[in-house]
Each structure stands twice: as C-alpha cells, then as structure tokens.
Amino acid sequence: MSASGGTRAIIAALTANVGIAISKFVAYLLTGSSSMLAEAIHSVADSGNQVLLLVGGRRAARRASDVHQFGYGRARYVYAFIVSIVLFTVGGLFALYEAWHKFAEPHPITAWQWVPVTVLVVAIGLETRSFWVAIQEANAVRGKHSLMEFVKASRAPEIPVILLEDFGALVGLVFGLFGVSMTLATGDGRWDAVGSAAIGLLLVVIAIFLAIEMYSMLIGESAAPEHHRAIEEAIPGDGVERVIHMRTMHLGPDDVLVAAKVAVPAGATAEQIATAIDAAEKRVRAAVPLKAQIYLEPDLYDAARAQTADATEEAAAPKDAAGH
C-alpha cells in the first residue's frame, strides 16, 4: 500500500469546498436557514483542513536535523490530527449549537425559497466529483483492501482524511437538503434545526474516528502487515541465518524504522558479519516501497532463549489489515 500524499485529491476537495462555502453563505444570508449556515461553516472547516494537509506535507519534507534526527515525517500525522480537532469544533459543535439555537427560536424560510435547495443540489454534484477523485486516488494504492480497511490500515493520512471528509460532506448535504425541504413543505423551522443537528452529529463522529486513527499513528504504529512480512523475509540470506526478533515503526507515512536481532554463523569474522548485514539491508530496501532506516544487531541463535523472544514477537506482530 503506497504512502502517497494524495495531493490531487486534496486540491480537488479544496477547489470544490471553497466554491461551495461561498454559495452556502450567500444562501444563508438570503434565507436565514440554519442548515445552510451549518453547511457553510462545514465547508469552511473542510477548506481549512485541506490547507492544513498541504502544509503538513510540505513541513514533513524538511531534511532531518540534529534535533530531529529521524526527520519530520510525522508532521503529516500532527496536521491530520489538527484536522480532526477543527472538524470536531468548527464543524460539528458549531452545527449542534446552531441546531439548538434554531430549535429554540424556529423561523420558516419565507424568502428566496428556491435558493437553498438549488445550492444544496449543486453542492451535492460538486462534492460527488470530489469524492470520486478521492476514491480513484485510494483505488490506486489500496490493493485488495476495501475502502474502510484502507482508511484504517493506511499509514498515509491524506487520502483517508479526504475520503472521510468528502463522505461526511455528501451525507451532510443530504441531511441539509432534508431539513430545508421539510421546512419549506411544512413551514416549521424546527425541521431546519433537525437537519443542522444531524450534520453536527455526523461531523462529531467522523472527527472522533479521525482523532483515534491519528493518535495511533502519532504514538507509533508498526509497518503494515504485508510490509512487515516482506522485511522479515528479506533479511535472511548469505551470512544471516535467521531473524531472532524484529520491530518496525513508521517514522512517517513513507519512512519506516527497522530494528532486528539477527543470527549469524558462530565462526563468522567481523568483516563477514559486516558484509552480511550490508547485504541484508539492501534486500530490505528492495523488498518494500518505503524509505527504511535499518539497525541490525548480530547475535548467535539460541533456541531456548529465542522461544521467549518469539512469544513476545508474536504478541507484538500486526494481527489484521488495520495493524492496530
């Protein structure tokens, strides 16, 4: 599974959301619809989130320094975590507040009644296009994983974030259209509040899910199961008898740290061991499409001692497609 940053999907979503946000604000000013205001703020939050993802990608590309010797790859996780906070507060909580306010003081939509419906229908079309671009980007890298498995298993945050944002935007637009349509049909402004509340709850759920996923990456996840296996299988070779135990951890979506204790022949010289380890590192780098920082410790294999290490390794190894 590639760790592509999904820049095309981010740009497509940003372009769509800026235009949609402007049209929703105009519709809100003309009609006073609570659902339109909630949707407008939602689009503003999404636009800001896409800018954050682009900034995170640029900052992650900085060279390693004396202070950050493994580089800045995790900056992409930090900015994606900020996205979840923005989505929760600016999008979800504001929509819930607006729903409460509108339910307490409901007002029917009496002017420009065709505007909110038109804006929402057009927005659904634009969001559908943005969502389709994100799906295409995901299809190019998700392999045999379903979209939900890809969202949970991907070590790159951008495409999963855009997928969830676009999905939430589409469903939110449907909620908004329902609230506005029912308000127009019944003259009861509380339906508008219901649409806004549904949008808020949806955004809060998506934001919490994103926060949990990004938290997991920030504290350090192992390589994806298929990459973990490929690395472990690539290490043994001439001069390296087997892997005694191994740990992997993503330093960023494209960077993985590999630390392993490997068995070498009892009679091997220091020069032979060094040559064998260099060759093993080359095999690992050829086996996975990631930038690998590799530290191999040579040792002599002891079956009794290895049983304890193997049990620990089995407990720590990735168990499913999500790798959690």
Side-chain angles (χ1 to χ4, degrees), residues 194-276:
V194 169
S196 181
I199 293 168
L201 290 173
L202 173 70
L203 296 182
V204 166
V205 170
I206 291 176
I208 291 173
F209 177 82
L210 276 178
I212 292 171
E213 290 298 306
M214 292 307 108
Y215 167 78
S216 181
M217 293 305 303
L218 281 170
I219 62 174
E221 284 193 3
S222 64
E226 61 270 26
H227 291 159
H228 191 96
R229 287 191 297 269
I231 292 169
E232 193 168 28
E233 292 169 359
I235 291 176
D238 293 339
V240 177
E241 297 176 338
R242 62 187 299 160
V243 174
I244 299 174
H245 63 82
M246 183 182 79
R247 297 287 185 272
T248 60
M249 183 174 70
H250 268 273
L251 303 172
D254 306 301
D255 302 286
V256 64
L257 174 67
V258 179
K261 179 172 287 191
V262 298
V264 297
T269 65
E271 182 179 358
Q272 290 171 333
I273 292 172
T275 300

Side-chain angles (χ1 to χ4, degrees), residues 25-45:
F25 271 119
V26 171
Y28 163 70
L29 292 173
L30 293 174
T31 65
S33 168
S34 176
S35 292
M36 291 307 305
L37 179 58
E39 273 296 315
I41 297 300
H42 177 191
S43 293
V44 170

Side-chain angles (χ1 to χ4, degrees), residues 48-298:
N49 287 342
Q50 279 118 40
V51 172
L52 284 171
L53 292 176
L54 291 172
V55 172
R58 289 183 62 86
R59 295 187 68 83
R62 291 177 296 172
R63 293 179 177 273
S65 66
D66 290 340
V67 176
H68 299 91
Q69 297 182 352
F70 285 108
Y72 293 85
R74 286 191 180 177
R76 287 164 68 179
Y77 302 139
V78 172
Y79 279 84
F81 187 80
I82 295 173
V83 163
S84 70
I85 297 173
V86 172
L87 197 62
F88 181 84
T89 54
V90 179
L93 294 187
F94 180 85
L96 291 174
Y97 166 78
E98 184 62 21
W100 173 80
H101 177 73
K102 190 62 177 280
F103 198 86
E105 299 181 16
H107 300 286
I109 300 173
T110 57
W112 301 90
Q113 293 181 336
W114 58 273
V115 171
V117 174
T118 302
V119 168
L120 288 170
V121 169
V122 172
I124 287 174
L126 293 174
E127 284 290 358
T128 299
R129 180 185 177 279
S130 175
F131 190 38
W132 177 245
V133 172
I135 290 175
Q136 288 180 314
E137 291 282 289
N139 287 342
V141 296
R142 67 185 174 95
K144 297 180 180 179
H145 294 284
S146 68
L147 283 175
M148 181 52 68
E149 288 173 342
F150 168 74
V151 167
K152 290 183 66 64
S154 176
R155 270 43 173 183
E158 290 83 2
I159 296 179
V161 168
I162 294 298
L163 279 170
L164 288 173
E165 278 193 348
D166 285 351
F167 173 77
L170 272 175
V171 177
L173 286 167
V174 173
F175 289 157
L177 184 60
F178 172 79
V180 168
S181 299
M182 291 299 295
T183 298
L184 292 173
T186 65
D188 188 347
R190 287 176 295 183
W191 283 109
D192 199 17
V194 169
S196 181
I199 293 168
L201 290 173
L202 173 70
L203 296 182
V204 166
V205 170
I206 291 176
I208 291 173
F209 177 82
L210 276 178
I212 292 171
E213 290 298 306
M214 292 307 108
Y215 167 78
S216 181
M217 293 305 303
L218 281 170
I219 62 174
E221 284 193 3
S222 64
E226 61 270 26
H227 291 159
H228 191 96
R229 287 191 297 269
I231 292 169
E232 193 168 28
E233 292 169 359
I235 291 176
D238 293 339
V240 177
E241 297 176 338
R242 62 187 299 160
V243 174
I244 299 174
H245 63 82
M246 183 182 79
R247 297 287 185 272
T248 60
M249 183 174 70
H250 268 273
L251 303 172
D254 306 301
D255 302 286
V256 64
L257 174 67
V258 179
K261 179 172 287 191
V262 298
V264 297
T269 65
E271 182 179 358
Q272 290 171 333
I273 292 172
T275 300
I277 288 177
D278 288 343
E281 291 176 352
K282 290 180 181 178
R283 290 193 296 271
V284 168
R285 293 190 173 97
V288 292
L290 298 169
K291 179 182 177 183
Q293 301 196 42
I294 307 168
Y295 298 90
L296 302 182
E297 178 187 352

